[in-house]
Amino acid sequence: MKDTTEAAQPGDALALRARGLTKRYGSGPAAVTAVDHLDLDIAPGELTAIMGPSGSGKTTLVHLLAGLDSPDEGRVWVGDDELTGISDAALARVRGRVVGFVFQGFNLLQTMSARDNIMLPLRLNALPTDKKWLDTLVDMLGIGSELARKPYELSGGQQQRVAIARALITEPRVVLADEPTGNLDVHASAQILSHLRASCRELGQSVVMVTHDPTAASYASKVLLFADGQVAGHIDNPSREAVLAGLDALAKVER
C-alpha cells in the first residue's frame, strides 16, 4: 500500500478525510480503477451529496470511506480515527463507534421491534444507552408511535426513519447513506431528506449521501460530481437546476 505522508492530527475539525485513496479491480489491460488517488475532506455538520454516472465509482468510494472495503492505496480517517491499515477487529470496533449507515433497502431485522433495531448498534458495540439522545432522535424523526412495531408493519418511509435513528444512535462522526430514498415515493423521500438535513443543522451530524436524484441532491450543503474515480467538480448550496446543469456539463466532458 502506498504510504501517504500526510496524517490526521489530533483535534482535526474534519469529520472525514481521505488521502490518495485508490481502488482497482482486475489486472492487466482489463483492469478498472474505480477510485483514483482521491483526496477528500468532509466538514462537520454538513450534508454532502455524491453524484455521477453509473460506473463512476460512487458506491466503491462509500465502501472505502466506511471501511467496508480496503483500498489498494491511500488512507481514510473519520475524525481522529484511521480506518486503513488496522486489524479487522480494530476496524470493527472503530467503525462501530464513528460511522453510521443508511441503506436504500433499510436493512432492518424483521423479527425485532423498531426500538430494538435502533438499539442494535449499541448492543453490538457494547455501548451504553443514552436515553436522552434516544428520545431526541425519536422526537426529531417522529417515530414514537412506531417503536413497538415490527418493520413489516411500517411503511417504507417509517422504516427509513427507523434506519436513520439506528445510524445516529451511537452518535457517529459521519453517516454514510447509499441511495437512502431510492425505494421511496416522492412524499416519503422529501421527509427523509428533510430529516437528514435536520440531523446536520440541529444535531451537528455529518452525512455523506450517494444519490442519482437531482432533487435529493438539492437538500445537501454541497454536491460532489464524481467521474472516472475522481471528484470532477462541486456545487455549493445546490439547487435542482444547478445539479442538472452540473451533470449535463459532466456528461459533455465525458463524451
Side-chain angles (χ1 to χ4, degrees):
M1 182 178 292
K2 180 181 177 181
D3 179 28
T4 54
T5 57
E6 185 173 359
Q9 298 300 316
D12 258 315
L14 293 173
L16 184 150
R17 180 191 338 207
R19 291 293 180 267
L21 203 60
T22 302
K23 184 67 179 182
R24 305 180 188 90
Y25 296 103
S27 60
V32 174
T33 301
V35 177
D36 188 8
H37 294 93
L38 177 74
D39 292 341
L40 182 67
D41 291 337
I42 299 297
E46 290 189 356
L47 172 55
T48 302
I50 298 176
M51 301 194 75
S54 297
S56 60
K58 302 185 300 297
T59 296
T60 298
L61 173 60
V62 169
H63 287 179
L64 294 173
L65 296 178
L68 297 174
D69 199 359
S70 299
D72 295 311
E73 303 175 30
R75 302 167 73 179
V76 175
W77 297 264
V78 177
D80 298 331
D81 295 295
E82 185 168 3
L83 300 188
T84 42
I86 61 178
S87 70
D88 289 343
L91 175 60
R93 286 194 299 270
V94 172
R95 193 171 59 208
R97 290 188 293 104
V98 301
V99 181
F101 304 95
V102 180
F103 303 95
Q104 178 177 344
F106 316 139
N107 286 21
L108 301 175
L109 296 180
Q110 297 297 313
T111 59
M112 298 174 62
S113 69
R115 179 187 175 89
D116 286 342
N117 268 284
I118 294 169
M119 305 300 285
L120 187 59
L122 299 178
R123 290 174 51 193
L124 292 176
N125 294 285
L127 296 172
T129 300
D130 183 338
K131 188 177 184 305
K132 184 177 179 181
W133 178 243
L134 174 63
D135 291 344
T136 296
L137 296 179
V138 168
D139 181 62
M140 185 190 78
L141 293 163
I143 53 175
S145 61
E146 278 74 61
L147 292 181
R149 300 167 69 186
K150 301 291 177 59
Y152 58 80
E153 299 176 300
L154 305 176
S155 69
Q158 289 169 331
Q159 289 188 64
Q160 196 62 299
R161 280 184 278 162
V162 171
I164 292 171
R166 179 186 59 188
L168 294 172
I169 193 64
T170 60
E171 300 184 64
R173 290 295 299 266
V174 65
V175 169
L176 300 171
D178 192 359
E179 299 284 2
T181 60
N183 284 336
L184 304 177
D185 61 29
V186 173
H187 178 68
S189 295
Q191 287 186 322
I192 293 305
L193 291 163
S194 293
H195 287 311
L196 287 174
R197 185 165 61 183
S199 75
C200 296
R201 292 180 175 178
E202 298 173 20
L203 305 178
Q205 186 59 57
S206 302
V207 178
V208 179
M209 173 180 67
V210 170
T211 182
H212 69 280
D213 181 1
T215 299
S218 70
Y219 281 76
S221 303
K222 176 184 290 187
V223 173
L224 303 180
L225 300 173
F226 204 65
D228 299 323
Q230 273 285 350
V231 175
H234 71 274
I235 305 169
D236 292 323
N237 302 311
S239 65
R240 185 177 187 277
E241 292 71 26
V243 173
L244 286 169
L247 292 173
D248 185 55
L250 193 63
K252 290 178 180 177
V253 170
E254 289 189 325
R255 287 198 296 266

